[in-house]
PDB file of all heavy atoms in Angstrom:
ATOM      1  N   ILE W  29     130.735  77.624  81.425  1.00 98.00           N
ATOM      2  CA  ILE W  29     131.004  77.014  82.735  1.00 98.00           C
ATOM      3  C   ILE W  29     131.160  78.122  83.776  1.00 98.00           C
ATOM      4  O   ILE W  29     132.138  78.855  83.784  1.00 98.00           O
ATOM      5  CB  ILE W  29     132.296  76.150  82.654  1.00 98.00           C
ATOM      6  CG1 ILE W  29     132.108  75.076  81.568  1.00 98.00           C
ATOM      7  CG2 ILE W  29     132.603  75.535  84.012  1.00 98.00           C
ATOM      8  CD1 ILE W  29     133.361  74.313  81.246  1.00 98.00           C
ATOM      9  N   ALA W  30     130.133  78.257  84.603  1.00 98.00           N
ATOM     10  CA  ALA W  30     130.103  79.356  85.605  1.00 98.00           C
ATOM     11  C   ALA W  30     130.212  78.725  86.996  1.00 98.00           C
ATOM     12  O   ALA W  30     129.310  78.012  87.426  1.00 98.00           O
ATOM     13  CB  ALA W  30     128.829  80.145  85.451  1.00 98.00           C
ATOM     14  N   THR W  31     131.322  79.022  87.656  1.00 98.00           N
ATOM     15  CA  THR W  31     131.525  78.384  88.974  1.00 98.00           C
ATOM     16  C   THR W  31     130.460  78.795  89.963  1.00 98.00           C
ATOM     17  O   THR W  31     130.005  77.963  90.766  1.00 98.00           O
ATOM     18  CB  THR W  31     132.947  78.704  89.543  1.00 98.00           C
ATOM     19  OG1 THR W  31     133.258  80.062  89.235  1.00 98.00           O
ATOM     20  CG2 THR W  31     133.975  77.799  88.928  1.00 98.00           C
ATOM     21  N   GLY W  32     130.021  80.041  89.915  1.00 96.00           N
ATOM     22  CA  GLY W  32     128.950  80.467  90.835  1.00 96.00           C
ATOM     23  C   GLY W  32     127.687  79.627  90.636  1.00 96.00           C
ATOM     24  O   GLY W  32     127.049  79.180  91.613  1.00 96.00           O
ATOM     25  N   ASP W  33     127.333  79.380  89.372  1.00 94.00           N
ATOM     26  CA  ASP W  33     126.146  78.551  89.072  1.00 94.00           C
ATOM     27  C   ASP W  33     126.340  77.118  89.586  1.00 94.00           C
ATOM     28  O   ASP W  33     125.404  76.511  90.128  1.00 94.00           O
ATOM     29  CB  ASP W  33     125.892  78.486  87.556  1.00 94.00           C
ATOM     30  CG  ASP W  33     125.418  79.856  86.996  1.00 94.00           C
ATOM     31  OD1 ASP W  33     125.140  80.762  87.795  1.00 94.00           O
ATOM     32  OD2 ASP W  33     125.399  79.989  85.754  1.00 94.00           O
ATOM     33  N   ILE W  34     127.533  76.597  89.435  1.00 95.00           N
ATOM     34  CA  ILE W  34     127.809  75.235  89.875  1.00 95.00           C
ATOM     35  C   ILE W  34     127.609  75.173  91.404  1.00 95.00           C
ATOM     36  O   ILE W  34     126.961  74.234  91.919  1.00 95.00           O
ATOM     37  CB  ILE W  34     129.262  74.779  89.502  1.00 95.00           C
ATOM     38  CG1 ILE W  34     129.379  74.660  87.962  1.00 95.00           C
ATOM     39  CG2 ILE W  34     129.648  73.483  90.217  1.00 95.00           C
ATOM     40  CD1 ILE W  34     130.772  74.384  87.454  1.00 95.00           C
ATOM     41  N   PHE W  35     128.144  76.172  92.105  1.00 96.00           N
ATOM     42  CA  PHE W  35     127.985  76.164  93.575  1.00 96.00           C
ATOM     43  C   PHE W  35     126.537  76.340  93.983  1.00 96.00           C
ATOM     44  O   PHE W  35     126.058  75.669  94.886  1.00 96.00           O
ATOM     45  CB  PHE W  35     128.860  77.244  94.227  1.00 96.00           C
ATOM     46  CG  PHE W  35     130.335  76.932  94.123  1.00 96.00           C
ATOM     47  CD1 PHE W  35     131.236  77.934  93.723  1.00 96.00           C
ATOM     48  CD2 PHE W  35     130.820  75.673  94.439  1.00 96.00           C
ATOM     49  CE1 PHE W  35     132.593  77.637  93.623  1.00 96.00           C
ATOM     50  CE2 PHE W  35     132.170  75.402  94.362  1.00 96.00           C
ATOM     51  CZ  PHE W  35     133.075  76.374  93.939  1.00 96.00           C
ATOM     52  N   ARG W  36     125.847  77.280  93.348  1.00 94.00           N
ATOM     53  CA  ARG W  36     124.446  77.509  93.739  1.00 94.00           C
ATOM     54  C   ARG W  36     123.592  76.272  93.502  1.00 94.00           C
ATOM     55  O   ARG W  36     122.733  75.919  94.300  1.00 94.00           O
ATOM     56  CB  ARG W  36     123.862  78.720  92.985  1.00 94.00           C
ATOM     57  CG  ARG W  36     124.225  80.056  93.632  1.00 94.00           C
ATOM     58  CD  ARG W  36     123.588  81.232  92.953  1.00 94.00           C
ATOM     59  NE  ARG W  36     124.076  81.423  91.602  1.00 94.00           N
ATOM     60  CZ  ARG W  36     125.227  82.080  91.306  1.00 94.00           C
ATOM     61  NH1 ARG W  36     125.945  82.612  92.249  1.00 94.00           N
ATOM     62  NH2 ARG W  36     125.620  82.195  90.057  1.00 94.00           N
ATOM     63  N   GLN W  37     123.856  75.552  92.412  1.00 93.00           N
ATOM     64  CA  GLN W  37     123.147  74.311  92.116  1.00 93.00           C
ATOM     65  C   GLN W  37     123.438  73.261  93.221  1.00 93.00           C
ATOM     66  O   GLN W  37     122.560  72.598  93.706  1.00 93.00           O
ATOM     67  CB  GLN W  37     123.577  73.795  90.741  1.00 93.00           C
ATOM     68  CG  GLN W  37     122.823  72.585  90.223  1.00 93.00           C
ATOM     69  CD  GLN W  37     121.350  72.930  89.939  1.00 93.00           C
ATOM     70  OE1 GLN W  37     120.997  74.065  89.689  1.00 93.00           O
ATOM     71  NE2 GLN W  37     120.475  71.912  90.044  1.00 93.00           N
ATOM     72  N   ALA W  38     124.713  73.209  93.604  1.00 96.00           N
ATOM     73  CA  ALA W  38     125.105  72.222  94.633  1.00 96.00           C
ATOM     74  C   ALA W  38     124.474  72.546  95.988  1.00 96.00           C
ATOM     75  O   ALA W  38     124.028  71.647  96.719  1.00 96.00           O
ATOM     76  CB  ALA W  38     126.629  72.194  94.760  1.00 96.00           C
ATOM     77  N   VAL W  39     124.331  73.833  96.282  1.00 94.00           N
ATOM     78  CA  VAL W  39     123.694  74.242  97.532  1.00 94.00           C
ATOM     79  C   VAL W  39     122.219  73.842  97.471  1.00 94.00           C
ATOM     80  O   VAL W  39     121.679  73.273  98.415  1.00 94.00           O
ATOM     81  CB  VAL W  39     123.825  75.766  97.768  1.00 94.00           C
ATOM     82  CG1 VAL W  39     122.946  76.230  98.912  1.00 94.00           C
ATOM     83  CG2 VAL W  39     125.289  76.148  98.018  1.00 94.00           C
ATOM     84  N   LYS W  40     121.593  74.105  96.318  1.00 92.00           N
ATOM     85  CA  LYS W  40     120.171  73.797  96.156  1.00 92.00           C
ATOM     86  C   LYS W  40     119.935  72.288  96.318  1.00 92.00           C
ATOM     87  O   LYS W  40     118.968  71.862  96.949  1.00 92.00           O
ATOM     88  CB  LYS W  40     119.762  74.236  94.735  1.00 92.00           C
ATOM     89  CG  LYS W  40     118.275  74.244  94.510  1.00 92.00           C
ATOM     90  CD  LYS W  40     117.968  74.963  93.201  1.00 92.00           C
ATOM     91  CE  LYS W  40     116.864  74.273  92.436  1.00 92.00           C
ATOM     92  NZ  LYS W  40     116.770  74.737  91.052  1.00 92.00           N
ATOM     93  N   GLU W  41     120.838  71.489  95.786  1.00 95.00           N
ATOM     94  CA  GLU W  41     120.667  70.032  95.864  1.00 95.00           C
ATOM     95  C   GLU W  41     121.212  69.452  97.155  1.00 95.00           C
ATOM     96  O   GLU W  41     121.175  68.240  97.354  1.00 95.00           O
ATOM     97  CB  GLU W  41     121.358  69.374  94.651  1.00 95.00           C
ATOM     98  CG  GLU W  41     120.612  69.669  93.360  1.00 95.00           C
ATOM     99  CD  GLU W  41     121.398  69.234  92.124  1.00 95.00           C
ATOM    100  OE1 GLU W  41     122.487  68.682  92.254  1.00 95.00           O
ATOM    101  OE2 GLU W  41     120.873  69.474  91.014  1.00 95.00           O
ATOM    102  N   ALA W  42     121.796  70.328  98.007  1.00 95.00           N
ATOM    103  CA  ALA W  42     122.352  69.908  99.293  1.00 95.00           C
ATOM    104  C   ALA W  42     123.340  68.756  99.160  1.00 95.00           C
ATOM    105  O   ALA W  42     123.324  67.796  99.927  1.00 95.00           O
ATOM    106  CB  ALA W  42     121.225  69.550 100.252  1.00 95.00           C
ATOM    107  N   THR W  43     124.216  68.847  98.150  1.00 96.00           N
ATOM    108  CA  THR W  43     125.269  67.838  97.984  1.00 96.00           C
ATOM    109  C   THR W  43     126.418  68.154  98.944  1.00 96.00           C
ATOM    110  O   THR W  43     126.426  69.216  99.568  1.00 96.00           O
ATOM    111  CB  THR W  43     125.819  67.842  96.551  1.00 96.00           C
ATOM    112  OG1 THR W  43     126.415  69.153  96.345  1.00 96.00           O
ATOM    113  CG2 THR W  43     124.755  67.625  95.504  1.00 96.00           C
ATOM    114  N   GLU W  44     127.382  67.252  98.987  1.00 95.00           N
ATOM    115  CA  GLU W  44     128.574  67.462  99.833  1.00 95.00           C
ATOM    116  C   GLU W  44     129.273  68.807  99.461  1.00 95.00           C
ATOM    117  O   GLU W  44     129.632  69.589 100.301  1.00 95.00           O
ATOM    118  CB  GLU W  44     129.519  66.262  99.639  1.00 95.00           C
ATOM    119  CG  GLU W  44     130.909  66.397 100.268  1.00 95.00           C
ATOM    120  CD  GLU W  44     130.869  66.508 101.792  1.00 95.00           C
ATOM    121  OE1 GLU W  44     129.819  66.166 102.381  1.00 95.00           O
ATOM    122  OE2 GLU W  44     131.872  66.981 102.375  1.00 95.00           O
ATOM    123  N   LEU W  45     129.394  69.043  98.136  1.00 95.00           N
ATOM    124  CA  LEU W  45     130.006  70.290  97.668  1.00 95.00           C
ATOM    125  C   LEU W  45     129.205  71.493  98.150  1.00 95.00           C
ATOM    126  O   LEU W  45     129.743  72.469  98.640  1.00 95.00           O
ATOM    127  CB  LEU W  45     130.113  70.299  96.139  1.00 95.00           C
ATOM    128  CG  LEU W  45     130.585  71.602  95.519  1.00 95.00           C
ATOM    129  CD1 LEU W  45     132.044  71.882  95.872  1.00 95.00           C
ATOM    130  CD2 LEU W  45     130.428  71.573  93.986  1.00 95.00           C
ATOM    131  N   GLY W  46     127.896  71.382  98.019  1.00 96.00           N
ATOM    132  CA  GLY W  46     127.011  72.473  98.418  1.00 96.00           C
ATOM    133  C   GLY W  46     127.147  72.744  99.931  1.00 96.00           C
ATOM    134  O   GLY W  46     127.186  73.913 100.345  1.00 96.00           O
ATOM    135  N   ARG W  47     127.274  71.725 100.680  1.00 96.00           N
ATOM    136  CA  ARG W  47     127.418  71.882 102.140  1.00 96.00           C
ATOM    137  C   ARG W  47     128.725  72.636 102.473  1.00 96.00           C
ATOM    138  O   ARG W  47     128.750  73.487 103.336  1.00 96.00           O
ATOM    139  CB  ARG W  47     127.432  70.486 102.774  1.00 96.00           C
ATOM    140  CG  ARG W  47     126.999  70.434 104.235  1.00 96.00           C
ATOM    141  CD  ARG W  47     127.122  69.033 104.802  1.00 96.00           C
ATOM    142  NE  ARG W  47     128.438  68.399 104.580  1.00 96.00           N
ATOM    143  CZ  ARG W  47     129.566  68.730 105.167  1.00 96.00           C
ATOM    144  NH1 ARG W  47     129.578  69.681 106.092  1.00 96.00           N
ATOM    145  NH2 ARG W  47     130.718  68.110 104.908  1.00 96.00           N
ATOM    146  N   ARG W  48     129.767  72.304 101.686  1.00 95.00           N
ATOM    147  CA  ARG W  48     131.062  72.970 101.954  1.00 95.00           C
ATOM    148  C   ARG W  48     131.091  74.419 101.459  1.00 95.00           C
ATOM    149  O   ARG W  48     131.772  75.261 102.017  1.00 95.00           O
ATOM    150  CB  ARG W  48     132.188  72.174 101.280  1.00 95.00           C
ATOM    151  CG  ARG W  48     132.399  70.826 101.929  1.00 95.00           C
ATOM    152  CD  ARG W  48     133.275  69.932 101.092  1.00 95.00           C
ATOM    153  NE  ARG W  48     134.684  70.253 101.196  1.00 95.00           N
ATOM    154  CZ  ARG W  48     135.624  69.680 100.435  1.00 95.00           C
ATOM    155  NH1 ARG W  48     135.282  68.808  99.523  1.00 95.00           N
ATOM    156  NH2 ARG W  48     136.885  70.010 100.592  1.00 95.00           N
ATOM    157  N   ALA W  49     130.337  74.687 100.379  1.00 96.00           N
ATOM    158  CA  ALA W  49     130.444  76.016  99.755  1.00 96.00           C
ATOM    159  C   ALA W  49     129.467  77.048 100.345  1.00 96.00           C
ATOM    160  O   ALA W  49     129.695  78.259 100.255  1.00 96.00           O
ATOM    161  CB  ALA W  49     130.190  75.906  98.243  1.00 96.00           C
ATOM    162  N   LYS W  50     128.382  76.569 100.937  1.00 96.00           N
ATOM    163  CA  LYS W  50     127.241  77.414 101.311  1.00 96.00           C
ATOM    164  C   LYS W  50     127.618  78.682 102.070  1.00 96.00           C
ATOM    165  O   LYS W  50     127.258  79.791 101.698  1.00 96.00           O
ATOM    166  CB  LYS W  50     126.246  76.594 102.110  1.00 96.00           C
ATOM    167  CG  LYS W  50     124.916  77.266 102.354  1.00 96.00           C
ATOM    168  CD  LYS W  50     123.915  76.246 102.928  1.00 96.00           C
ATOM    169  CE  LYS W  50     122.515  76.809 102.976  1.00 96.00           C
ATOM    170  NZ  LYS W  50     122.244  77.656 104.094  1.00 96.00           N
ATOM    171  N   SER W  51     128.373  78.528 103.163  1.00 95.00           N
ATOM    172  CA  SER W  51     128.624  79.681 104.029  1.00 95.00           C
ATOM    173  C   SER W  51     129.494  80.738 103.305  1.00 95.00           C
ATOM    174  O   SER W  51     129.342  81.940 103.528  1.00 95.00           O
ATOM    175  CB  SER W  51     129.295  79.249 105.338  1.00 95.00           C
ATOM    176  OG  SER W  51     130.560  78.739 105.030  1.00 95.00           O
ATOM    177  N   TYR W  52     130.379  80.296 102.411  1.00 97.00           N
ATOM    178  CA  TYR W  52     131.227  81.271 101.668  1.00 97.00           C
ATOM    179  C   TYR W  52     130.340  82.084 100.734  1.00 97.00           C
ATOM    180  O   TYR W  52     130.466  83.310 100.662  1.00 97.00           O
ATOM    181  CB  TYR W  52     132.287  80.537 100.862  1.00 97.00           C
ATOM    182  CG  TYR W  52     133.272  79.782 101.681  1.00 97.00           C
ATOM    183  CD1 TYR W  52     133.184  78.396 101.810  1.00 97.00           C
ATOM    184  CD2 TYR W  52     134.297  80.443 102.382  1.00 97.00           C
ATOM    185  CE1 TYR W  52     134.091  77.672 102.588  1.00 97.00           C
ATOM    186  CE2 TYR W  52     135.206  79.751 103.140  1.00 97.00           C
ATOM    187  CZ  TYR W  52     135.104  78.350 103.260  1.00 97.00           C
ATOM    188  OH  TYR W  52     135.978  77.664 104.018  1.00 97.00           O
ATOM    189  N   LEU W  53     129.429  81.398 100.021  1.00 96.00           N
ATOM    190  CA  LEU W  53     128.539  82.099  99.089  1.00 96.00           C
ATOM    191  C   LEU W  53     127.710  83.130  99.813  1.00 96.00           C
ATOM    192  O   LEU W  53     127.560  84.252  99.351  1.00 96.00           O
ATOM    193  CB  LEU W  53     127.640  81.095  98.366  1.00 96.00           C
ATOM    194  CG  LEU W  53     128.129  80.695  96.990  1.00 96.00           C
ATOM    195  CD1 LEU W  53     129.271  79.717  97.064  1.00 96.00           C
ATOM    196  CD2 LEU W  53     127.034  80.134  96.158  1.00 96.00           C
ATOM    197  N   GLU W  54     127.125  82.701 100.929  1.00 95.00           N
ATOM    198  CA  GLU W  54     126.216  83.601 101.650  1.00 95.00           C
ATOM    199  C   GLU W  54     126.935  84.865 102.108  1.00 95.00           C
ATOM    200  O   GLU W  54     126.393  85.957 102.124  1.00 95.00           O
ATOM    201  CB  GLU W  54     125.636  82.880 102.860  1.00 95.00           C
ATOM    202  CG  GLU W  54     124.453  82.018 102.469  1.00 95.00           C
ATOM    203  CD  GLU W  54     123.967  81.124 103.578  1.00 95.00           C
ATOM    204  OE1 GLU W  54     124.559  81.146 104.691  1.00 95.00           O
ATOM    205  OE2 GLU W  54     123.001  80.379 103.330  1.00 95.00           O
ATOM    206  N   LYS W  55     128.205  84.715 102.521  1.00 96.00           N
ATOM    207  CA  LYS W  55     128.958  85.862 103.025  1.00 96.00           C
ATOM    208  C   LYS W  55     129.614  86.672 101.921  1.00 96.00           C
ATOM    209  O   LYS W  55     130.131  87.733 102.171  1.00 96.00           O
ATOM    210  CB  LYS W  55     130.034  85.395 103.988  1.00 96.00           C
ATOM    211  CG  LYS W  55     129.464  84.965 105.371  1.00 96.00           C
ATOM    212  CD  LYS W  55     130.570  84.617 106.327  1.00 96.00           C
ATOM    213  CE  LYS W  55     130.517  83.177 106.670  1.00 96.00           C
ATOM    214  NZ  LYS W  55     131.644  82.445 107.049  1.00 96.00           N
ATOM    215  N   GLY W  56     129.649  86.103 100.718  1.00 96.00           N
ATOM    216  CA  GLY W  56     130.332  86.806  99.630  1.00 96.00           C
ATOM    217  C   GLY W  56     131.822  86.624  99.700  1.00 96.00           C
ATOM    218  O   GLY W  56     132.573  87.423  99.143  1.00 96.00           O
ATOM    219  N   GLU W  57     132.258  85.566 100.374  1.00 97.00           N
ATOM    220  CA  GLU W  57     133.708  85.244 100.430  1.00 97.00           C
ATOM    221  C   GLU W  57     134.015  84.247  99.327  1.00 97.00           C
ATOM    222  O   GLU W  57     133.122  83.538  98.822  1.00 97.00           O
ATOM    223  CB  GLU W  57     134.027  84.534 101.786  1.00 97.00           C
ATOM    224  CG  GLU W  57     133.750  85.353 103.017  1.00 97.00           C
ATOM    225  CD  GLU W  57     134.817  86.413 103.280  1.00 97.00           C
ATOM    226  OE1 GLU W  57     135.890  86.321 102.621  1.00 97.00           O
ATOM    227  OE2 GLU W  57     134.570  87.294 104.095  1.00 97.00           O
TER     228      GLU W  57
END
Side-chain angles (χ1 to χ4, degrees):
I29 303 171
T31 40
D33 291 350
I34 293 173
F35 290 134
R36 278 184 294 278
Q37 186 67 25
V39 170
K40 192 169 140 193
E41 290 171 0
T43 62
E44 171 64 18
L45 173 67
R47 204 183 51 72
R48 291 167 79 187
K50 189 168 190 281
S51 67
Y52 297 103
L53 261 76
E54 278 170 0
K55 284 185 246 153
E57 299 283 347

